[in-house]
């Protein structure tokens, strides 16, 4: 079983940057496919970026070229570097890890506003 704890959210001005972190408990983190999702008010949760255990990435079109997903297996930590942030990036961001089951963090709020 895996427990995920996100951090790094906050309030940032348009054009700014944030880095989200997601620390995993448990073992075998390197075997999990991981990802970031987000949910804005009154909208469904959507994929932001995913990263397989072999290093393949996938990004939503809306964040390509601005966001970068990465992981440090020695620290059991997943990251999301977010640059050139826009007001429409405002959402609760969730990290996800899956292998035989899907695990979710509790979410961290990102607000992009002047």
């Amino acid at each position: 079983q895996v427990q995920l704890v996100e951090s790094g959210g906050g309030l940032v001005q348009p054009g700014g940057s944030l880095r989200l972190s997601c620390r995993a408990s448990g073992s075998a983190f390197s075997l999990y496919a991981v990802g970031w999702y987000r949910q804005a008010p009154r909208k469904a949760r959507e994929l932001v970026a995913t990263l397989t255990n072999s290093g393949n990435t996938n990004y939503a079109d809306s964040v390509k070229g601005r966001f970068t997903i990465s992981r440090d297996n020695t620290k059991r930590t997943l990251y999301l570097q977010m640059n050139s942030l826009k007001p429409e990036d405002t959402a609760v961001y969730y990290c996800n890890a899956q292998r035989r089951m899907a695990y979710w963090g509790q979410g961290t709020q990102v607000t992009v506003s002047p």
Side-chain angles (χ1 to χ4, degrees), residues 60-80:
D61 288 343
S62 60
V63 307
K64 280 181 181 176
R66 300 189 297 122
F67 291 11
T68 303
I69 188 171
S70 62
R71 67 195 298 171
D72 185 337
N73 289 331
T74 63
K75 297 181 179 179
R76 298 198 305 273
T77 302
L78 171 66
Y79 302 101
L80 184 68

Side-chain angles (χ1 to χ4, degrees), residues 24-96:
S25 65
S27 60
F29 175 70
S30 62
L31 299 180
Y32 285 76
V34 292
W36 289 96
Y37 293 73
R38 66 187 181 187
Q39 187 166 17
R42 299 175 297 282
K43 291 189 176 182
R45 190 173 297 188
E46 63 176 5
L47 179 149
V48 175
T50 59
L51 174 60
T52 69
N53 57 356
S54 58
N56 294 316
T57 58
N58 180 50
Y59 293 92
D61 288 343
S62 60
V63 307
K64 280 181 181 176
R66 300 189 297 122
F67 291 11
T68 303
I69 188 171
S70 62
R71 67 195 298 171
D72 185 337
N73 289 331
T74 63
K75 297 181 179 179
R76 298 198 305 273
T77 302
L78 171 66
Y79 302 101
L80 184 68
Q81 178 66 44
M82 304 186 294
N83 299 327
S84 302
L85 282 161
K86 305 175 181 179
E88 51 264 43
D89 295 317
T90 295
V92 177
Y93 283 70
Y94 299 89
C95 65
N96 167 273

